[in-house]
Amino acid sequence: MMQKELTFDQALSVLTQHGQNHVLQFWDQLSATERSTLLAQVAAIDFDVLARMADELKTHLTATPDASVATAVPAPVVDPDADSRASAAASGEAALRDGRIAALLVAGGQGSRLGFEGPKGAYPVGPLSNASLFYFHARKIVALKQRYGQPVPLYIMTSDTNDAATRQFFTDNNNFGLDPADIFFFTQGMWPALDENGKVILETPGRIFMSPDGHGGTISALAANGGIADMHRRGIDTIFYFQVDNPLIEIADPAFIGLHLEQKADISVKVCAKRDPQEGLGVVVISNGKHAMVEYTELSDDQKQRRTANGELYFKYGSVAIHLFSLEFIAREAAGDMPLHVAHKKIPYCDANGTTQKPDTNNGYKFEKFIFDLLPDADKVLCLAFDREEEFAPVKNSTGNDSPATCRAALQAKWRRWLQQIGITIPEDIPIEIDPAYANYPEELRKGLLLHKGELP
Ligand code: UTP
């Protein structure tokens, strides 16, 4: 998109009007390049959003927690038997054969917990090959085209912090076997952060601190960058949405798609039983008659621990951000504003002398949009239970739970189960890895091995 250009006077005027003229306090010390960068940043600020941020911050600093959470009840979850899943899978496969499904991968986050230099999708998780998270996702999409004869176009959301590196990584890896015509990169928006007085934080004398606007930024960024138009052009009607950090995922799971289509859902959400009451997953609830997500930080301890008469957790299921969206719903939602979420964070800032300081304590507020805030707008929502052993092993932290070690172990356990199902037992201490484009189900593995041995024509 073309950005309007501002002169110094125009920038000063608009900043002064919004109480942000401190942004230009170091102007006299800036080089010509720094000046034009700063003016471009000012030109890109959406002052309406900035006003919403300041309001949200005031509410955040003064208000009590959202009272509706206390009365929220868990949303109904379907957990169909094998026969019903198989018949739903048949309709999902028909939609895949008709080329109606797109994959939408959100990869704009900063991966700060993992502490990896570079895009998180480039993180090596392959137990033998050190193949990246992106490799596992892309190879599954290669497999979908092989299986159903139609491409599942892959829309990848990056952010300014990792866009160039992500595109380069795909190029360097020959797009992992995907046709580049079926990959659509787009970048999400970046937002400034505010101090407790609602002032935009400068990171250096000539640069406003900016960070990605959250995974909820996907919808507006997809629309603004022509992604929704591209989907319409291709005859897509359903979007499979997923995150970069979970290589166990069943991308475009046919049974999930089939159920979503049968239910005519606007949004479908895959949910799994929480590991323990404290696991940091959001729960889908019904609140004020609508579906909504309650983050684990919002649930009281009593709510987290509450059990039903049969001893199960009352809020048993957590969401792991695997969704299906109807394109019609997304196209409609893209035009609207989403709620803002505030997070108190350590933000590098420029002190009065113009030196950048990295604080040890939280000093400012970042704002993000969350994808699950679309839920209350949906007329029809489906929550489908899944088995986490089969589909969820994210890389979030560098060690402990949800780390590269637990993820590699889960991948290998799954492949070992496939091998066992076709009568091959591999000792636990021998690492294994299977290319998803070679086999993504035990039956495909069996066929592949027989072909390899020349026992199939
Ligand atoms: P997470 O919230 O788990 O985080 O994002 P992260 O940003 O990768 O890592 P931390 O929290 O800094 O450790 C879940 C998914 O949403 C994407 C991430 O790339 C990941 O796939 N995401 C998150 C975005 O695409 N943009 C964002 O602004 C935030």
Side-chain angles (χ1 to χ4, degrees):
M1 263 182 300
M2 282 295 288
Q3 200 72 69
K4 59 185 183 296
E5 282 184 19
L6 291 183
T7 62
F8 171 81
D9 287 341
Q10 287 168 328
L12 183 62
S13 155
V14 72
L15 287 167
T16 307
Q17 201 184 323
H18 294 95
Q20 302 287 352
N21 51 336
H22 65 287
V23 165
L24 297 175
Q25 65 185 300
F26 297 106
W27 183 259
D28 292 344
Q29 303 164 25
L30 302 182
S31 69
T33 320
E34 287 169 330
R35 285 178 172 186
S36 60
T37 307
L38 187 57
L39 288 181
Q41 279 195 309
V42 175
I45 294 178
D46 180 336
F47 285 96
D48 291 340
V49 173
L50 204 64
R52 283 180 61 213
M53 288 176 178
D55 283 349
E56 192 57 43
L57 180 58
K58 274 193 211 131
T59 315
H60 176 81
L61 294 175
T62 54
T64 45
D66 179 0
S68 67
V69 174
T71 53
V73 298
V77 170
V78 298
D79 190 359
D81 61 19
D83 284 350
S84 312
R85 281 188 195 253
S87 86
S91 7
E93 288 180 338
L96 283 157
R97 270 194 292 276
D98 288 345
R100 291 164 51 194
I101 312 298
L104 172 55
L105 168 58
V106 289
Q110 295 177 298
S112 39
R113 281 169 287 173
L114 183 61
F116 173 63
E117 275 300 310
K120 194 171 181 179
Y123 190 87
V125 281
L128 292 176
S129 63
N130 269 332
S132 60
L133 289 163
F134 281 137
Y135 163 92
F136 284 99
H137 299 319
R139 298 296 286 169
K140 285 180 191 174
I141 293 173
V142 167
L144 287 167
K145 185 173 176 185
Q146 288 168 3
R147 210 173 298 133
Y148 301 111
Q150 283 289 334
V152 171
L154 174 60
Y155 297 77
I156 305 177
M157 185 171 81
T158 61
S159 60
D160 285 354
T161 56
N162 63 20
D163 182 63
T166 302
R167 289 173 194 250
Q168 191 61 48
F169 193 72
F170 270 72
T171 306
D172 291 348
N173 287 283
N174 212 4
N175 297 306
F176 307 99
L178 285 168
D179 182 342
D182 295 327
I183 308 177
F184 188 111
F185 289 101
F186 65 103
T187 46
Q188 69 182 108
M190 300 286 283
W191 273 348
L194 302 183
D195 69 14
E196 72 278 11
N197 299 313
K199 301 285 180 200
V200 165
I201 297 179
L202 275 182
E203 183 174 7
T204 68
R207 196 172 66 241
I208 297 170
F209 173 88
M210 302 287 281
S211 62
D213 63 358
H215 40 64
T218 311
I219 303 309
S220 50
L222 186 67
N225 290 285
I228 290 184
D230 189 69
M231 288 181 186
H232 280 134
R233 185 180 59 73
R234 289 173 182 266
I236 301 295
D237 60 29
T238 304
I239 304 172
F240 180 86
Y241 168 102
F242 65 113
Q243 301 191 332
V244 75
D245 47 28
N246 174 26
L248 215 64
I249 190 159
E250 287 296 321
I251 296 177
D253 164 10
F256 188 34
I257 294 172
L259 289 162
H260 170 85
L261 294 174
E262 281 166 19
Q263 296 282 319
K264 297 191 171 41
D266 291 321
I267 305 183
S268 291
V269 184
K270 270 204 179 174
V271 294
C272 64
K274 288 196 276 182
R275 193 161 43 209
D276 56 64
Q278 300 299 341
E279 185 174 10
L281 300 179
V283 293
V284 186
V285 300
I286 305 288
S287 176
N288 301 325
K290 294 181 174 298
H291 280 82
M293 189 78 74
V294 173
E295 290 180 82
Y296 74 107
T297 46
E298 295 175 284
L299 284 180
S300 69
D301 220 39
D302 282 352
Q303 286 175 307
K304 284 180 193 157
Q305 304 285 354
R306 181 172 169 187
R307 297 207 176 250
T308 60
N310 64 10
E312 286 189 333
L313 285 178
Y314 179 66
F315 290 107
K316 173 178 170 181
Y317 291 105
S319 163
V320 299
I322 301 174
H323 304 305
L324 285 166
F325 295 117
S326 98
L327 177 57
E328 202 187 319
F329 173 72
I330 289 301
R332 210 166 54 227
E333 287 291 303
D337 279 337
M338 293 182 79
L340 303 181
H341 294 256
V342 188
H344 202 194
K345 296 275 183 183
K346 298 184 191 97
I347 296 173
Y349 69 97
C350 180
D351 68 15
N353 301 319
T355 309
T356 300
Q357 303 289 347
K358 293 202 165 159
D360 297 328
T361 52
N362 296 333
N363 62 320
Y365 296 86
K366 282 189 186 175
F367 297 82
E368 285 189 313
K369 293 179 274 189
F370 292 159
I371 193 77
F372 50 71
D373 281 327
L374 297 175
L375 278 168
D377 291 351
D379 289 331
K380 178 82 194 166
V381 175
L382 165 79
C383 294
L384 175 67
F386 75 94
D387 178 356
R388 67 192 295 155
E389 255 192 6
E390 294 293 325
E391 296 181 44
F392 182 56
V395 177
K396 296 273 184 203
N397 310 309
S398 56
T399 55
N401 273 339
D402 300 336
S403 64
T406 56
C407 176
R408 284 189 197 105
L411 282 167
Q412 295 187 87
K414 181 169 174 175
W415 293 322
R416 243 182 267 284
R417 285 194 296 276
W418 291 356
L419 284 160
Q420 243 149 23
Q421 282 176 42
I422 61 167
I424 302 171
T425 304
I426 307 270
E428 290 281 328
D429 57 342
I430 297 189
I432 50 173
E433 183 171 332
I434 297 172
D435 173 359
Y438 179 74
N440 204 33
Y441 296 104
E443 188 49 26
E444 286 180 347
L445 190 57
R446 193 184 67 81
K447 273 199 196 134
L449 294 176
L450 289 176
L451 270 174
H452 186 70
K453 288 200 286 184
E455 290 174 18
L456 273 185

